[in-house]
DNA sequence: CGGGTTGACGGAATCGTTTGCGCTTCCTAA
DNA sequence: TTAGGAAGCGCAAACGATTCCGTCAACCCG
């Protein structure tokens, strides 16, 4: 309500002095400073951050674009990003792209007009002219899980993850391993797929395309595709679902068909979300360091915003190692997380 | 990059004319308009929304304060709020309060300084001077699931929900019913508790305080409290967990102790998040219309922002009816959601 | 005593818009 | 012919901060 001018008037000084006084800048005497402070307190003065930002060209807002906050994977990363941002005095403008190119583009453009200081964007589409344009305008952008030449990115090694999952199944003696995945036009999914193929080939097994089901990452696709695989003349003995959400659908299908897991069908998921310990059997899954990814992305972005770049715009690519977390869906009796570990982040809190 | 002035210069008109031209305001001739448009296109002009907002005192940003986006309940409501906001051309500034009073207050103050057009705040603490202050400054605020005199609110009828859950258990023949809940200083939780007591009393049963466990809403509390109840000389035969997340911990404890659910222990949760159909046995839960709550809150808030209020500031309280969704954790074999319904929102999508 | 340094402060421009108001110009109707 | 209206347009004042730069007084020192 009260503006700087009113504060200045009440303290009997100019707005320039008042501004300096309130922000502890030099050029104001001791007593003037306290007089201004006093006036500000009396008026309940709060600076108008958008006016400040107009002048300083810093909004202290960063944009975060995710496909869908409702997905446990994204909400966990989003949470980590939000925490770091909050600590460093930035706010988050959040948008869901639903993996749709035009939604993402529209939102990014809006954020540009709102003059965010930086952008964190999740894998959505592979096309990305709007991102390159934004980058060209000097906007700091960090990508998560999406590779675009010339842009900075943090991602987990998805090919390695795919190999990890597949090798685990191979080690258990499986040779016919099905793959259920979202659309393969996205680099990260393609990588997982390649990792799967690589592991098979390395083990001397020719990948069998009839065991691969491409679709969405929704659990209903997992459900349908799993039934589909079961109906094959020679069904697989194990399924690698490239997403925990898909795996949920797979488990449901197997349960309905009374196929014992892991005895007659082993299942591996990906992302290691908290879903893995809620379902039964508990799901073996490839873990990405979600928190770390979020925290790193936010930290890197904000450092970039505040200190510029030391490396002369050389695009950075951080690749993190995935890790396999073995649970009951591949090895009977293995729990991986004991009882008291349950309050995994995310299922930890509620409130309504 | 390009400002309105540059556009105006290039088109050979004043910024005033340019502004009017670009926003389709009257007072500009046909040809001037198209000349300005042309210039804008050539320069790739995008209006600076923060400058506009400084002048118009509308930021088209709204603040959303939730305890924790990682919680399925909140992320679903947040998603609904975001969708409505997006459609109506508002962006979301998101913050997590962790149910902590000072975090919430700090964030709300920041949003005030950033001059959001309105605020949607979830139940966190019961204290709320900062909210009243903000409201007094004329800021539109809608509360979800928290009652503060004088402020507008949308909530589900938690007392009724508590009664629903408890009566269901009573109908099944249970008489010793445990309650595991988060801290009762929050009105919504207290309401559920009261509903529980009410149902018992109505059935002629004296509520037994030794069957009540107050703590956090994390699943570990559910886990510990359930074990605790099992160790009682006369343990309950049913447990009402006032949150699905708590119920997850309860189910785990029962599984570890090999207590068959629902035969020897029935369990009811609350919120009807997608967790309920992933766990085994599937969880009976009280459903709140999450989407509807989010959509209504956003719609009401934005209408308020844009059209003011017709009702002369008479605070509105919308109370929605909860609904019991029965599943296997109380009645053997009952699924409530069939296979093809699985892709419940939230588990539906993924992406990484 | 004079010149130079230092520190406190204010004026005014600026960030990029929107908009009230007044000035032209031109058209039309009496 | 002229009054009156309407349409098109620009000036300049906002919105609320930050900041460059100049002024002024006080002070120190040789």
């Amino acid at each position: 309500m009260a503006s700087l001018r009113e504060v200045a008037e009440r303290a009997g000084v100019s707005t320039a002095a008042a501004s300096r006084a309130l922000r502890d800048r030099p050029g104001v005497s001791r007593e003037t400073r306290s007089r201004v402070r006093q006036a500000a307190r009396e008026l309940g003065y709060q600076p108008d951050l958008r006016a400040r930002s107009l002048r300083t060209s810093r909004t202290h807002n960063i944009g975060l674009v995710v496909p869908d906050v409702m997905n446990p994977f994204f909400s966990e990363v989003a949470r980590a990003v939000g925490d770091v941002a909050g600590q460093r005095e930035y706010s988050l403008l959040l948008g869901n792209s639903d993996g749709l190119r035009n939604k993402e583009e529209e939102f990014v453009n809006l954020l540009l007009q709102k003059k965010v200081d930086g952008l964190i964007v999740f894998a959505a589409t592979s096309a990305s002219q709007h991102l390159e344009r934004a980058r060209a305008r000097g906007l700091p952008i960090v990508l998560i899980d999406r590779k675009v030449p010339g842009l900075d990115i943090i991602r987990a090694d998805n090919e390695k993850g795919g190999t990890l999952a597949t090798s685990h199944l191979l080690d258990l003696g499986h040779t016919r391993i099905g793959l259920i995945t979202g659309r393969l036009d996205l680099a990260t999914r393609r990588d997982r797929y390649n990792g799967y193929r690589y592991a098979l080939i390395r083990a001397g097994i020719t990948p069998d395309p009839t065991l691969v089901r491409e679709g969405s990452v929704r659990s209903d696709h997992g459900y349908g595709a799993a039934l589909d695989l079961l109906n094959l003349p020679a069904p697989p003995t194990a399924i690698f679902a490239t997403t925990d959400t898909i795996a949920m659908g797979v488990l449901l299908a197997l349960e309905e068909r009374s196929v014992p897991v892991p005895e007659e069908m082993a299942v591996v998921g990906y992302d290691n979300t908290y879903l893995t310990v809620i379902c039964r059997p508990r799901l073996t899954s490839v873990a990405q360091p979600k928190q770390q990814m979020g925290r790193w992305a936010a930290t890197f972005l904000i450092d970039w915003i505040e200190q510029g770049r030391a490396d002369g715009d050389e695009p950075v690519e951080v690749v993190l190692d995935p890790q396999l977390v073995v649970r009951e869906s591949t090895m009977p009796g293995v729990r991986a997380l004991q009882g008291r570990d349950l309050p995994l982040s995310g299922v930890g809190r509620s409130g309504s």
Side-chain angles (χ1 to χ4, degrees), chain A residues 46-56 58-60 91:
Chain A
Q46 305 270 89
D48 182 323
L49 262 27
R50 60 200 205 298
R52 170 181 297 173
S53 107
L54 195 57
R55 193 53 236 261
T56 62
R58 280 280 141 88
T59 56
H60 274 258
S91 309

Side-chain angles (χ1 to χ4, degrees), chain A residues 19 44 57 65 90 116 191 201 223-224 242 265-266 278 306 321-322 351:
Chain A
S19 173
S57 60
V65 187
Y90 283 76
V116 290
D191 287 347
I201 291 170
Y223 178 80
T242 59
M265 184 72 81
I278 291 180
E306 295 187 341
D321 259 347

Side-chain angles (χ1 to χ4, degrees), chain A residues 17-341:
Chain A
S19 173
R20 282 187 283 251
L22 292 174
R23 284 172 314 125
D24 259 334
R25 285 268 182 300
V28 198
S29 71
R30 219 168 189 53
E31 55 236 291
T32 306
R33 195 179 299 278
S34 71
R35 202 146 29 89
V36 172
R37 288 256 168 83
Q38 175 66 18
R41 211 170 312 123
E42 287 167 7
L43 292 173
Y45 169 74
Q46 305 270 89
D48 182 323
L49 262 27
R50 60 200 205 298
R52 170 181 297 173
S53 107
L54 195 57
R55 193 53 236 261
T56 62
S57 60
R58 280 280 141 88
T59 56
H60 274 258
N61 286 151
I62 68 187
L64 175 61
V65 187
V66 298
D68 180 12
V69 260
M70 283 185 62
N71 182 284
F73 177 72
F74 297 123
S75 61
E76 183 159 349
V77 185
R79 180 65 215 254
V81 169
D83 285 347
V84 172
Q87 278 165 27
R88 307 211 27 195
E89 318 235 65
Y90 283 76
S91 309
L92 230 51
L93 277 161
L94 181 78
N96 303 98
S97 68
D98 282 326
L100 265 39
R101 183 205 175 134
N102 63 333
K103 265 201 175 186
E104 176 185 305
E105 189 165 347
E106 201 177 329
F107 187 61
V108 167
N109 283 337
L110 187 61
L111 291 176
L112 286 186
Q113 295 190 41
K114 297 213 173 184
K115 294 286 185 288
V116 290
D117 291 340
L119 221 46
I120 297 180
V121 183
F122 260 91
T125 57
S126 41
S128 51
Q129 301 160 32
H130 51 296
L131 294 181
E132 285 161 7
R133 221 177 335 170
R135 179 70 194 85
R137 290 196 187 188
L139 188 71
I141 302 182
V142 175
L143 267 34
I144 302 187
D145 252 2
R146 176 205 315 212
K147 199 163 178 172
V148 172
L151 295 188
D152 302 84
I153 176 174
I154 178 166
R155 64 183 182 92
D157 186 335
N158 285 287
E159 184 166 332
K160 186 166 178 183
T163 301
L164 229 44
T166 312
S167 298
H168 172 60
L169 293 171
L170 288 167
D171 288 347
L172 292 172
H174 297 278
T175 54
R176 294 186 58 75
I177 303 176
L179 178 84
I180 305 182
T181 178
R183 295 199 44 201
L184 288 173
D185 54 354
L186 212 56
T188 103
R189 291 182 200 143
R190 183 129 218 126
D191 287 347
R192 292 179 194 175
Y193 173 61
N194 287 336
Y196 156 83
R197 287 175 54 92
Y198 172 71
L200 289 178
I201 291 170
R202 192 177 53 179
I205 298 176
T206 313
D208 179 354
T210 64
L211 294 183
V212 175
R213 291 292 179 282
E214 179 181 358
S216 81
V217 290
R218 301 176 48 123
S219 53
D220 53 353
H221 172 236
Y223 178 80
L227 290 181
D228 214 33
L229 290 178
L230 285 177
N231 289 336
L232 247 35
T237 63
I239 292 177
F240 172 28
T242 59
T243 275
D244 284 348
T245 53
I246 292 179
M248 294 301 117
V250 172
L251 288 181
L252 179 64
L254 296 175
E255 181 186 35
E256 286 187 358
R257 287 292 180 90
S258 307
V259 178
V261 177
E263 290 76 11
E264 293 191 12
M265 184 72 81
V267 180
V268 177
Y270 208 111
D271 283 346
N272 196 39
T273 60
Y274 55 71
L275 301 177
T276 57
V277 295
I278 291 180
C279 63
R280 292 294 178 275
R282 292 174 181 81
L283 185 69
T284 295
S285 188
V286 178
Q288 311 197 58
K290 301 181 278 297
Q291 285 226 18
Q292 202 181 328
M293 289 169 75
R295 298 191 69 85
W296 187 91
T299 305
F300 180 80
L301 182 73
I302 295 177
D303 284 347
W304 181 0
I305 292 171
E306 295 187 341
Q307 304 158 22
R309 305 185 52 139
D311 48 18
D313 271 10
E314 192 70 19
V316 170
E317 178 173 9
V318 173
V319 182
L320 299 176
D321 259 347
Q323 216 168 343
L324 185 74
V325 181
V326 178
R327 299 197 182 85
E328 303 158 341
S329 72
T330 55
M331 297 187 69
V334 174
R335 291 266 311 262
L337 294 179
Q338 293 309 317
R340 56 195 181 69
D341 294 322

